[in-house]
Protein backbone atom coordinates (compact mmCIF):
# COMPACT_ATOMS: atom_id res chain seq x y z
CA UNK A 1 0.00 0.00 0.00
CA UNK A 2 1.01 3.64 -0.18
CA UNK A 3 3.40 5.47 2.07
CA UNK A 4 1.90 6.79 5.30
CA UNK A 5 3.68 10.11 4.76
CA UNK A 6 1.28 12.97 4.03
CA UNK A 7 2.55 15.23 1.24
CA UNK A 8 3.27 18.87 2.02
CA UNK A 9 2.06 21.28 -0.65
CA UNK A 10 4.21 24.22 -1.71
CA UNK A 11 2.66 27.71 -1.53
CA UNK A 12 2.05 27.89 -5.31
CA UNK A 13 0.20 24.56 -5.35
CA UNK A 14 -1.80 25.51 -2.29
CA UNK A 15 -2.83 28.85 -3.79
CA UNK A 16 -3.78 27.24 -7.10
CA UNK A 17 -6.05 24.63 -5.51
CA UNK A 18 -7.54 27.03 -2.95
CA UNK A 19 -8.48 29.31 -5.83
CA UNK A 20 -10.55 26.67 -7.61
CA UNK A 21 -14.16 27.60 -8.38
CA UNK A 22 -13.40 31.25 -7.62
CA UNK A 23 -12.45 30.35 -4.07
CA UNK A 24 -16.16 29.96 -3.29
CA UNK A 25 -16.21 26.22 -2.61
CA UNK A 26 -13.68 25.71 0.18
CA UNK A 27 -15.78 22.82 1.50
CA UNK A 28 -15.01 20.88 -1.70
CA UNK A 29 -11.24 21.42 -1.69
CA UNK A 30 -9.26 19.46 0.89
CA UNK A 31 -5.49 19.81 1.25
CA UNK A 32 -3.11 18.09 3.68
CA UNK A 33 -3.57 19.56 7.12
CA UNK A 34 -7.17 20.63 6.51
CA UNK A 35 -9.74 19.31 9.02
CA UNK A 36 -11.64 17.53 6.23
CA UNK A 37 -8.63 16.02 4.45
CA UNK A 38 -8.59 12.66 6.24
CA UNK A 39 -12.28 12.06 5.61
CA UNK A 40 -12.09 13.16 1.98
CA UNK A 41 -9.17 10.89 1.08
CA UNK A 42 -10.80 7.63 2.26
CA UNK A 43 -11.42 5.07 -0.47
CA UNK A 44 -14.27 2.55 -0.52
CA UNK A 45 -11.61 -0.02 0.35
CA UNK A 46 -10.58 1.14 3.82
CA UNK A 47 -7.36 -0.87 3.61
CA UNK A 48 -6.02 1.59 1.02
CA UNK A 49 -4.26 4.54 2.64
CA UNK A 50 -4.56 7.36 0.10
CA UNK A 51 -2.49 10.45 0.89
CA UNK A 52 -2.79 12.70 -2.16
CA UNK A 53 -1.68 16.28 -2.72
CA UNK A 54 -5.35 17.24 -2.52
CA UNK A 55 -8.91 16.01 -2.84
CA UNK A 56 -11.37 18.06 -4.87
CA UNK A 57 -15.06 17.35 -5.36
CA UNK A 58 -16.81 18.57 -8.52
CA UNK A 59 -20.46 19.14 -9.33
CA UNK A 60 -20.34 19.99 -13.06
CA UNK A 61 -18.32 19.01 -16.14
CA UNK A 62 -17.08 22.60 -16.31
CA UNK A 63 -15.54 22.17 -12.87
CA UNK A 64 -13.78 19.03 -14.08
CA UNK A 65 -12.21 21.13 -16.84
CA UNK A 66 -11.11 23.75 -14.33
CA UNK A 67 -9.52 21.18 -12.02
CA UNK A 68 -7.64 19.48 -14.85
CA UNK A 69 -6.24 22.76 -16.18
CA UNK A 70 -5.35 24.10 -12.74
CA UNK A 71 -3.66 20.88 -11.67
CA UNK A 72 -1.61 20.72 -14.88
CA UNK A 73 -0.38 24.30 -14.44
CA UNK A 74 0.57 23.51 -10.84
CA UNK A 75 2.60 20.47 -11.90
CA UNK A 76 0.08 18.01 -10.47
CA UNK A 77 -1.66 14.97 -11.92
CA UNK A 78 -5.37 14.17 -11.65
CA UNK A 79 -6.95 10.86 -10.65
CA UNK A 80 -10.76 10.72 -11.02
CA UNK A 81 -12.43 8.61 -8.36
CA UNK A 82 -16.09 7.91 -7.74
CA UNK A 83 -16.02 5.24 -5.02
CA UNK A 84 -12.43 4.00 -4.81
CA UNK A 85 -13.28 0.29 -5.03
CA UNK A 86 -10.03 -0.50 -6.84
CA UNK A 87 -7.82 2.23 -5.37
CA UNK A 88 -4.92 0.03 -4.27
CA UNK A 89 -2.79 0.19 -7.45
CA UNK A 90 -3.12 3.99 -7.58
CA UNK A 91 -2.02 4.41 -3.98
CA UNK A 92 0.86 1.97 -4.35
CA UNK A 93 2.37 4.03 -7.15
CA UNK A 94 2.38 7.18 -5.02
CA UNK A 95 0.05 10.15 -4.73
CA UNK A 96 2.38 12.95 -3.65
CA UNK A 97 1.73 14.88 -6.89
CA UNK A 98 -1.84 13.69 -7.47
CA UNK A 99 -5.17 15.45 -6.93
CA UNK A 100 -7.97 12.95 -6.36
CA UNK A 101 -10.98 14.26 -8.26
CA UNK A 102 -14.17 13.13 -6.57
CA UNK A 103 -16.92 12.74 -9.16
CA UNK A 104 -19.72 11.41 -6.93
CA UNK A 105 -21.91 14.51 -7.35
CA UNK A 106 -22.06 13.86 -11.10
CA UNK A 107 -24.81 11.32 -10.59
CA UNK A 108 -27.73 12.07 -12.94
CA UNK A 109 -29.32 9.18 -14.85
CA UNK A 110 -31.56 9.75 -17.89
CA UNK A 111 -33.24 7.05 -19.97
CA UNK A 112 -34.02 7.73 -23.63
CA UNK A 113 -36.96 5.46 -24.37
CA UNK A 114 -36.91 6.07 -28.12
CA UNK A 115 -33.26 5.05 -28.48
CA UNK A 116 -33.30 2.53 -25.59
CA UNK A 117 -30.13 4.15 -24.30
CA UNK A 118 -29.37 5.29 -20.77
CA UNK A 119 -27.16 8.34 -20.13
CA UNK A 120 -25.20 8.09 -16.89
CA UNK A 121 -23.05 10.84 -15.40
CA UNK A 122 -19.49 9.94 -14.50
CA UNK A 123 -19.85 9.65 -10.74
CA UNK A 124 -22.84 7.27 -10.66
CA UNK A 125 -22.90 3.90 -8.96
CA UNK A 126 -24.88 1.07 -10.50
CA UNK A 127 -28.00 0.89 -8.34
CA UNK A 128 -29.78 4.04 -9.60
CA UNK A 129 -28.95 3.07 -13.19
CA UNK A 130 -30.38 -0.42 -12.70
CA UNK A 131 -33.52 1.03 -11.12
CA UNK A 132 -34.01 3.69 -13.79
CA UNK A 133 -33.86 1.24 -16.69
CA UNK A 134 -36.00 -1.36 -14.90
CA UNK A 135 -38.94 1.06 -14.97
CA UNK A 136 -39.00 0.52 -18.74
CA UNK A 137 -38.45 -3.25 -18.61
CA UNK A 138 -34.83 -2.83 -19.59
CA UNK A 139 -31.51 -3.78 -18.01
CA UNK A 140 -27.86 -2.75 -18.16
CA UNK A 141 -24.75 -4.91 -17.88
CA UNK A 142 -24.03 -4.10 -14.24
CA UNK A 143 -21.69 -6.07 -12.01
CA UNK A 144 -22.07 -8.05 -8.81
CA UNK A 145 -22.42 -5.05 -6.48
CA UNK A 146 -24.93 -2.18 -6.62
CA UNK A 147 -22.52 0.42 -5.21
CA UNK A 148 -19.59 0.01 -7.61
CA UNK A 149 -18.84 3.11 -9.70
CA UNK A 150 -20.18 2.78 -13.24
CA UNK A 151 -17.24 4.57 -14.89
CA UNK A 152 -14.39 2.58 -13.39
CA UNK A 153 -16.22 -0.71 -13.86
CA UNK A 154 -17.09 0.03 -17.49
CA UNK A 155 -13.76 1.50 -18.60
CA UNK A 156 -11.99 -1.59 -17.24
CA UNK A 157 -14.27 -4.16 -18.86
CA UNK A 158 -17.25 -5.00 -16.68
CA UNK A 159 -18.22 -8.62 -16.17
CA UNK A 160 -21.66 -9.22 -14.69
CA UNK A 161 -24.41 -11.84 -14.51
CA UNK A 162 -25.50 -11.52 -18.16
CA UNK A 163 -21.94 -11.53 -19.52
CA UNK A 164 -21.78 -14.99 -21.13
CA UNK A 165 -24.83 -14.04 -23.22
CA UNK A 166 -24.21 -10.32 -23.81
CA UNK A 167 -20.46 -9.81 -23.31
CA UNK A 168 -18.45 -7.22 -21.43
CA UNK A 169 -20.22 -4.09 -20.24
CA UNK A 170 -17.58 -1.88 -21.84
CA UNK A 171 -18.79 -2.93 -25.28
CA UNK A 172 -22.35 -1.85 -24.50
CA UNK A 173 -21.08 1.73 -24.29
CA UNK A 174 -22.31 3.84 -27.19
CA UNK A 175 -20.63 7.13 -26.24
CA UNK A 176 -18.55 8.85 -23.58
CA UNK A 177 -18.12 12.51 -22.71
CA UNK A 178 -14.59 12.98 -21.40
CA UNK A 179 -12.26 15.79 -20.33
CA UNK A 180 -8.86 15.17 -21.94
CA UNK A 181 -5.42 16.41 -20.93
CA UNK A 182 -5.75 20.03 -22.07
CA UNK A 183 -9.02 20.40 -20.18
CA UNK A 184 -11.25 20.13 -23.25
CA UNK A 185 -14.53 18.27 -22.88
CA UNK A 186 -15.04 16.04 -25.92
CA UNK A 187 -17.46 13.38 -27.05
CA UNK A 188 -16.22 10.02 -28.25
CA UNK A 189 -18.36 7.49 -30.08
CA UNK A 190 -18.21 5.34 -33.19
CA UNK A 191 -18.17 8.40 -35.45
CA UNK A 192 -16.61 11.14 -33.30
CA UNK A 193 -13.10 10.61 -31.93
CA UNK A 194 -13.37 6.88 -32.74
CA UNK A 195 -9.79 6.09 -31.66
CA UNK A 196 -10.40 7.53 -28.21
CA UNK A 197 -13.71 5.66 -28.03
CA UNK A 198 -11.88 2.43 -28.85
CA UNK A 199 -9.26 3.07 -26.15
CA UNK A 200 -11.58 3.90 -23.26
CA UNK A 201 -13.62 0.72 -23.80
CA UNK A 202 -11.34 -1.53 -21.79
CA UNK A 203 -8.25 0.70 -21.63
CA UNK A 204 -9.03 2.16 -18.21
CA UNK A 205 -8.70 5.66 -16.83
CA UNK A 206 -5.51 6.96 -18.46
CA UNK A 207 -7.25 8.97 -21.18
CA UNK A 208 -9.23 11.54 -19.23
CA UNK A 209 -12.05 12.19 -16.79
CA UNK A 210 -15.36 10.71 -17.94
CA UNK A 211 -18.22 13.07 -17.16
CA UNK A 212 -20.98 11.04 -18.83
CA UNK A 213 -21.56 7.71 -20.58
CA UNK A 214 -24.30 6.30 -22.78
CA UNK A 215 -25.13 2.59 -22.73
CA UNK A 216 -27.30 0.27 -24.78
CA UNK A 217 -29.97 -1.36 -22.65
CA UNK A 218 -31.42 -4.85 -23.00
CA UNK A 219 -34.90 -6.36 -22.91
CA UNK A 220 -34.59 -8.02 -19.49
CA UNK A 221 -37.38 -7.60 -16.92
CA UNK A 222 -36.64 -10.70 -14.86
CA UNK A 223 -34.06 -13.45 -14.59
CA UNK A 224 -33.85 -16.91 -13.08
CA UNK A 225 -31.20 -16.16 -10.45
CA UNK A 226 -29.98 -17.06 -6.99
CA UNK A 227 -27.47 -19.27 -5.20
CA UNK A 228 -26.75 -22.85 -4.22
CA UNK A 229 -24.82 -23.45 -0.98
CA UNK A 230 -23.06 -26.45 0.58
CA UNK A 231 -20.95 -26.89 3.67
CA UNK A 232 -17.28 -26.43 2.78
CA UNK A 233 -16.65 -30.05 3.81
CA UNK A 234 -18.64 -31.08 0.72
CA UNK A 235 -16.80 -28.81 -1.73
CA UNK A 236 -14.83 -31.36 -3.76
CA UNK A 237 -17.56 -33.10 -5.80
CA UNK A 238 -19.35 -29.78 -6.29
CA UNK A 239 -16.24 -28.03 -7.56
CA UNK A 240 -15.32 -30.89 -9.90
CA UNK A 241 -18.83 -30.98 -11.35
CA UNK A 242 -18.97 -27.19 -11.81
CA UNK A 243 -15.48 -26.96 -13.35
CA UNK A 244 -16.26 -29.69 -15.90
CA UNK A 245 -19.63 -28.13 -16.80
CA UNK A 246 -18.81 -24.40 -16.83
CA UNK A 247 -16.55 -23.92 -19.89
CA UNK A 248 -19.05 -25.32 -22.40
CA UNK A 249 -22.30 -24.48 -20.62
CA UNK A 250 -24.96 -22.73 -22.73
CA UNK A 251 -24.26 -19.02 -22.77
CA UNK A 252 -27.59 -17.96 -21.29
CA UNK A 253 -26.20 -18.89 -17.86
CA UNK A 254 -23.41 -17.02 -16.03
CA UNK A 255 -22.21 -18.21 -12.62
CA UNK A 256 -19.41 -18.03 -10.08
CA UNK A 257 -18.01 -20.51 -7.57
CA UNK A 258 -16.72 -19.51 -4.14
CA UNK A 259 -15.12 -21.12 -1.13
CA UNK A 260 -16.01 -18.81 1.77
CA UNK A 261 -14.99 -18.61 5.42
CA UNK A 262 -17.14 -16.21 7.44
CA UNK A 263 -16.02 -14.81 10.78
CA UNK A 264 -18.56 -14.84 13.63
CA UNK A 265 -19.39 -11.14 13.46
CA UNK A 266 -22.80 -9.41 13.50
CA UNK A 267 -22.21 -7.60 10.18
CA UNK A 268 -22.71 -10.94 8.40
CA UNK A 269 -26.18 -12.53 7.99
CA UNK A 270 -26.85 -14.74 11.01
CA UNK A 271 -27.14 -17.97 9.03
CA UNK A 272 -23.56 -17.48 7.76
CA UNK A 273 -21.81 -16.27 10.90
CA UNK A 274 -18.80 -18.44 11.68
CA UNK A 275 -19.55 -20.86 8.83
CA UNK A 276 -17.38 -22.16 6.00
CA UNK A 277 -19.33 -22.83 2.81
CA UNK A 278 -19.12 -23.46 -0.93
CA UNK A 279 -21.42 -21.27 -3.03
CA UNK A 280 -22.49 -21.22 -6.67
CA UNK A 281 -24.49 -18.18 -7.71
CA UNK A 282 -25.53 -16.60 -10.96
CA UNK A 283 -28.33 -15.90 -13.37
CA UNK A 284 -30.08 -17.52 -16.34
CA UNK A 285 -31.58 -15.48 -19.19
CA UNK A 286 -34.33 -17.95 -19.94
CA UNK A 287 -37.41 -19.62 -18.56
CA UNK A 288 -37.70 -21.28 -15.16
CA UNK A 289 -37.78 -24.62 -16.93
CA UNK A 290 -34.57 -23.82 -18.80
CA UNK A 291 -32.93 -22.68 -15.58
CA UNK A 292 -33.91 -25.93 -13.93
CA UNK A 293 -32.39 -27.92 -16.78
CA UNK A 294 -29.09 -26.04 -16.58
CA UNK A 295 -28.80 -26.47 -12.81
CA UNK A 296 -30.01 -30.07 -12.59
CA UNK A 297 -26.59 -31.71 -12.22
CA UNK A 298 -25.56 -29.25 -9.50
CA UNK A 299 -28.84 -29.65 -7.65
CA UNK A 300 -28.32 -33.40 -7.72
CA UNK A 301 -25.42 -32.78 -5.33
CA UNK A 302 -27.99 -31.76 -2.69
CA UNK A 303 -27.19 -28.17 -1.71
CA UNK A 304 -28.20 -27.12 1.79
CA UNK A 305 -29.61 -23.87 0.41
CA UNK A 306 -31.19 -23.24 -3.02
CA UNK A 307 -32.54 -19.75 -3.70
CA UNK A 308 -32.67 -19.89 -7.51
CA UNK A 309 -35.96 -18.61 -8.82
CA UNK A 310 -37.63 -15.90 -10.87
CA UNK A 311 -36.57 -12.43 -9.64
CA UNK A 312 -36.98 -8.89 -10.99
CA UNK A 313 -33.89 -7.66 -12.81
CA UNK A 314 -32.85 -5.15 -10.07
CA UNK A 315 -32.55 -8.02 -7.56
CA UNK A 316 -29.79 -9.63 -9.63
CA UNK A 317 -27.32 -6.94 -8.55
CA UNK A 318 -27.39 -8.27 -4.95
CA UNK A 319 -27.35 -12.05 -5.39
CA UNK A 320 -23.55 -12.11 -4.85
CA UNK A 321 -23.94 -10.49 -1.39
CA UNK A 322 -20.99 -8.15 -1.95
CA UNK A 323 -20.47 -5.74 0.95
CA UNK A 324 -21.84 -2.24 0.46
CA UNK A 325 -20.70 1.07 1.86
CA UNK A 326 -17.01 0.20 2.15
CA UNK A 327 -14.84 -2.57 3.59
CA UNK A 328 -11.12 -3.20 4.19
CA UNK A 329 -9.75 -5.98 1.98
CA UNK A 330 -6.70 -7.18 0.06
CA UNK A 331 -6.69 -9.56 -2.88
CA UNK A 332 -4.93 -11.19 -5.83
CA UNK A 333 -6.24 -12.46 -9.17
CA UNK A 334 -5.34 -14.54 -12.23
CA UNK A 335 -7.10 -15.57 -15.43
CA UNK A 336 -7.05 -19.33 -15.96
CA UNK A 337 -6.85 -20.92 -19.37
CA UNK A 338 -8.44 -24.12 -18.08
CA UNK A 339 -8.88 -26.12 -14.87
CA UNK A 340 -7.76 -29.73 -15.27
CA UNK A 341 -7.79 -32.10 -12.30
CA UNK A 342 -4.41 -30.75 -11.18
CA UNK A 343 -5.84 -27.23 -11.00
CA UNK A 344 -8.82 -28.42 -8.98
CA UNK A 345 -6.41 -30.19 -6.64
CA UNK A 346 -4.42 -26.97 -6.30
CA UNK A 347 -7.57 -24.98 -5.53
CA UNK A 348 -8.65 -27.47 -2.87
CA UNK A 349 -5.18 -27.61 -1.39
CA UNK A 350 -5.07 -23.82 -1.05
CA UNK A 351 -8.60 -23.10 0.20
CA UNK A 352 -10.42 -26.42 0.72
CA UNK A 353 -11.76 -27.63 4.07
CA UNK A 354 -8.34 -28.83 5.27
CA UNK A 355 -6.41 -25.74 4.17
CA UNK A 356 -4.75 -23.45 6.72
CA UNK A 357 -6.06 -20.15 5.38
CA UNK A 358 -7.95 -17.12 6.63
CA UNK A 359 -9.14 -15.91 3.22
CA UNK A 360 -12.72 -14.73 3.31
CA UNK A 361 -13.26 -16.02 -0.20
CA UNK A 362 -11.59 -17.79 -3.07
CA UNK A 363 -13.64 -17.25 -6.20
CA UNK A 364 -13.84 -18.52 -9.75
CA UNK A 365 -15.83 -16.52 -12.32
CA UNK A 366 -17.15 -18.46 -15.29
CA UNK A 367 -15.96 -17.17 -18.68
CA UNK A 368 -16.77 -18.44 -22.17
CA UNK A 369 -19.80 -17.74 -24.32
CA UNK A 370 -19.94 -14.12 -25.49
CA UNK A 371 -17.11 -13.29 -23.08
CA UNK A 372 -14.80 -15.55 -25.07
CA UNK A 373 -15.30 -14.15 -28.58
CA UNK A 374 -14.57 -10.66 -29.95
CA UNK A 375 -17.62 -8.42 -29.82
CA UNK A 376 -18.66 -6.67 -33.02
CA UNK A 377 -17.42 -3.08 -33.08
CA UNK A 378 -15.64 -3.62 -29.76
CA UNK A 379 -13.12 -1.46 -27.98
CA UNK A 380 -9.61 -2.51 -27.04
CA UNK A 381 -10.97 -5.17 -24.67
CA UNK A 382 -13.16 -7.14 -27.04
CA UNK A 383 -13.26 -10.38 -25.02
CA UNK A 384 -11.48 -12.39 -22.31
CA UNK A 385 -9.38 -15.43 -23.12
CA UNK A 386 -9.59 -18.46 -20.84
CA UNK A 387 -12.23 -20.40 -18.95
CA UNK A 388 -12.15 -18.76 -15.51
CA UNK A 389 -11.00 -15.73 -13.55
CA UNK A 390 -9.68 -16.60 -10.09
CA UNK A 391 -9.83 -14.14 -7.22
CA UNK A 392 -8.68 -14.55 -3.61
CA UNK A 393 -9.61 -11.98 -0.95
CA UNK A 394 -8.82 -11.50 2.72
CA UNK A 395 -10.28 -8.96 5.11
CA UNK A 396 -7.80 -6.34 6.31
CA UNK A 397 -9.12 -4.34 9.27
CA UNK A 398 -5.62 -4.14 10.78
CA UNK A 399 -2.11 -3.94 9.27
CA UNK A 400 -1.37 -7.43 10.59
CA UNK A 401 -4.43 -8.93 8.95
CA UNK A 402 -3.68 -7.00 5.77
CA UNK A 403 -0.22 -8.57 5.63
CA UNK A 404 -1.72 -12.00 6.23
CA UNK A 405 -4.32 -11.41 3.51
CA UNK A 406 -1.65 -10.34 1.05
CA UNK A 407 0.38 -13.47 1.75
CA UNK A 408 -2.55 -15.88 1.61
CA UNK A 409 -4.21 -14.40 -1.48
CA UNK A 410 -0.81 -14.46 -3.23
CA UNK A 411 -0.33 -18.10 -2.23
CA UNK A 412 -3.78 -18.96 -3.60
CA UNK A 413 -3.02 -17.36 -6.97
CA UNK A 414 0.47 -18.87 -7.09
CA UNK A 415 -1.04 -22.34 -6.63
CA UNK A 416 -3.07 -21.75 -9.81
CA UNK A 417 -0.30 -20.00 -11.77
CA UNK A 418 0.62 -23.08 -13.87
CA UNK A 419 -2.86 -22.88 -15.41
CA UNK A 420 -2.96 -19.09 -15.94
CA UNK A 421 -3.05 -17.25 -19.26
CA UNK A 422 -0.69 -14.53 -18.03
CA UNK A 423 -3.25 -11.93 -19.11
CA UNK A 424 -5.02 -10.44 -16.07
CA UNK A 425 -8.52 -9.03 -15.94
CA UNK A 426 -7.61 -5.59 -14.58
CA UNK A 427 -10.91 -4.83 -12.85
CA UNK A 428 -10.01 -7.58 -10.38
CA UNK A 429 -6.34 -6.56 -10.09
CA UNK A 430 -6.10 -4.58 -6.86
CA UNK A 431 -2.31 -4.33 -6.70
CA UNK A 432 0.07 -2.44 -8.97
CA UNK A 433 1.41 -4.47 -11.87
CA UNK A 434 2.41 -4.33 -15.51
CA UNK A 435 -0.70 -3.06 -17.30
CA UNK A 436 0.58 -4.19 -20.69
CA UNK A 437 0.04 -7.84 -19.72
CA UNK A 438 -3.69 -7.34 -20.19
CA UNK A 439 -3.26 -6.51 -23.89
CA UNK A 440 -1.40 -7.83 -26.91
CA UNK A 441 1.60 -5.83 -28.14
CA UNK A 442 -0.22 -4.28 -31.11
CA UNK A 443 -3.09 -3.05 -28.96
CA UNK A 444 -0.66 -1.86 -26.30
CA UNK A 445 1.19 0.29 -28.83
CA UNK A 446 -2.12 1.75 -30.05
CA UNK A 447 -3.17 2.57 -26.50
CA UNK A 448 0.12 4.34 -25.84
CA UNK A 449 -0.26 6.37 -29.02
CA UNK A 450 -3.80 7.44 -28.14
CA UNK A 451 -2.74 8.34 -24.60
CA UNK A 452 0.06 10.49 -26.06
CA UNK A 453 -2.43 12.27 -28.32
CA UNK A 454 -5.06 13.07 -25.69
CA UNK A 455 -2.77 13.54 -22.68
CA UNK A 456 0.65 14.57 -24.05
CA UNK A 457 1.86 15.99 -20.74
CA UNK A 458 0.80 13.06 -18.58
CA UNK A 459 -1.85 14.85 -16.52
CA UNK A 460 -3.86 11.76 -15.62
CA UNK A 461 -3.04 9.09 -13.04
CA UNK A 462 -4.86 5.76 -13.34
CA UNK A 463 -5.12 2.57 -11.30
CA UNK A 464 -3.67 0.61 -14.21
CA UNK A 465 -1.80 3.23 -16.24
CA UNK A 466 -1.15 3.26 -19.96
CA UNK A 467 2.08 5.25 -20.50
CA UNK A 468 2.73 7.73 -23.28
CA UNK A 469 5.00 6.92 -26.18
CA UNK A 470 7.51 9.44 -24.87
CA UNK A 471 8.26 11.36 -21.72
CA UNK A 472 7.48 15.05 -22.13
CA UNK A 473 7.51 17.98 -19.79
CA UNK A 474 4.51 19.74 -18.34
CA UNK A 475 3.05 23.05 -19.49
CA UNK A 476 4.18 25.95 -17.41
CA UNK A 477 1.75 28.56 -18.61
Amino acid sequence: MSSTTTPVADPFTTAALRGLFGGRAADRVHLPGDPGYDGARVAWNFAVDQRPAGVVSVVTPEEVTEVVRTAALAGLRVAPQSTGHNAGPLAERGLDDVVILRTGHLDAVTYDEARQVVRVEGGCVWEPVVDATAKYGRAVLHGSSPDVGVAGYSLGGGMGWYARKLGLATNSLTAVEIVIGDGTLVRADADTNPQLFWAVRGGGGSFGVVTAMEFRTFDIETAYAGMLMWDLADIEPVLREWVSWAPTAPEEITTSFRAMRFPPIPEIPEFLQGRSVAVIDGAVLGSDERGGELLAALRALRPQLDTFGRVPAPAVSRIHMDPEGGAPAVSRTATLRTMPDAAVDAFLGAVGPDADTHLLLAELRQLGGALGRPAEGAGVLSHLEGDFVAFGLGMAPTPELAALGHAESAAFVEALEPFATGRPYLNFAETAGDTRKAYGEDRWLQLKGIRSAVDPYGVFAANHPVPRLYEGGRPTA
Side-chain angles (χ1 to χ4, degrees), residues 71-377:
L73 290 170
L76 299 171
R77 296 180 295 151
V78 175
Q81 196 171 92
S82 171
T83 64
H85 268 77
N86 191 343
L90 181 70
E92 283 184 44
R93 291 187 171 92
L95 298 173
D96 288 358
D97 66 339
V98 172
V99 174
I100 289 180
L101 181 63
R102 293 291 192 191
T103 61
H105 292 298
L106 296 172
D107 61 356
V109 180
T110 307
Y111 181 69
D112 184 332
E113 191 171 6
R115 297 168 56 218
Q116 297 183 332
V117 165
V118 63
R119 184 179 188 274
V120 181
E121 288 193 330
C124 276
V125 297
W126 273 118
E127 183 164 36
V129 186
V130 170
D131 290 345
T133 55
K135 293 177 182 177
Y136 298 88
R138 310 291 292 180
V140 284
L141 303 186
H142 60 83
S144 59
S145 175
D147 74 339
V148 165
V150 176
Y153 169 93
S154 301
L155 299 188
M159 180 172 57
W161 298 121
Y162 312 134
R164 296 185 73 253
K165 180 68 173 179
L166 300 173
L168 291 165
T170 196
N171 292 313
S172 70
L173 268 169
T174 60
V176 298
E177 296 167 23
I178 184 170
V179 175
I180 58 175
D182 66 355
T184 303
L185 176 62
V186 303
R187 180 180 175 89
D189 57 31
D191 301 313
T192 307
N193 297 308
Q195 292 85 6
L196 177 58
F197 186 52
W198 177 84
V200 297
R201 287 179 294 155
S206 294
F207 306 94
V209 182
V210 171
T211 61
M213 300 153 283
E214 295 179 4
F215 294 91
R216 289 195 305 276
T217 62
F218 300 87
D219 183 15
I220 302 171
E221 291 190 68
T222 66
Y224 187 78
M227 70 165 59
L228 307 173
M229 189 177 75
W230 295 259
D231 190 275
L232 192 65
D234 300 322
I235 185 175
E236 182 169 355
V238 179
L239 177 59
R240 293 193 187 279
E241 173 63 31
W242 183 80
V243 162
S244 67
W245 162 85
T248 58
E251 60 188 48
E252 62 260 46
I253 186 168
T254 304
T255 62
S256 79
F257 184 99
R258 287 176 290 173
M260 309 187 74
R261 290 170 163 84
F262 293 101
I265 58 176
E267 290 81 5
I268 292 171
E270 187 174 355
F271 77 101
L272 291 173
Q273 292 175 17
R275 291 197 62 190
S276 296
V277 297
V279 176
I280 295 171
D281 58 358
V284 179
L285 290 175
S287 67
D288 293 7
E289 293 74 19
R290 180 59 170 159
E293 291 173 6
L294 294 175
L295 294 173
L298 295 169
R299 282 175 162 156
L301 298 173
R302 302 176 63 185
Q304 295 178 0
L305 179 69
D306 181 349
T307 68
F308 269 91
R310 181 63 42 185
V311 299
V316 176
S317 68
R318 284 192 166 90
I319 62 171
H320 207 53
M321 301 189 303
D322 280 358
E324 298 175 38
V330 294
S331 64
R332 290 289 193 279
T333 186
T335 304
L336 307 182
R337 187 169 305 283
T338 186
M339 282 197 73
D341 287 344
V344 174
D345 293 342
F347 185 100
L348 294 172
V351 296
D354 299 324
D356 181 15
T357 182
H358 300 84
L359 290 180
L360 174 67
L361 64 88
E363 181 166 353
L364 297 167
R365 291 283 180 105
Q366 180 187 13
L367 301 182
L371 283 172
R373 58 179 180 265
E376 183 178 354

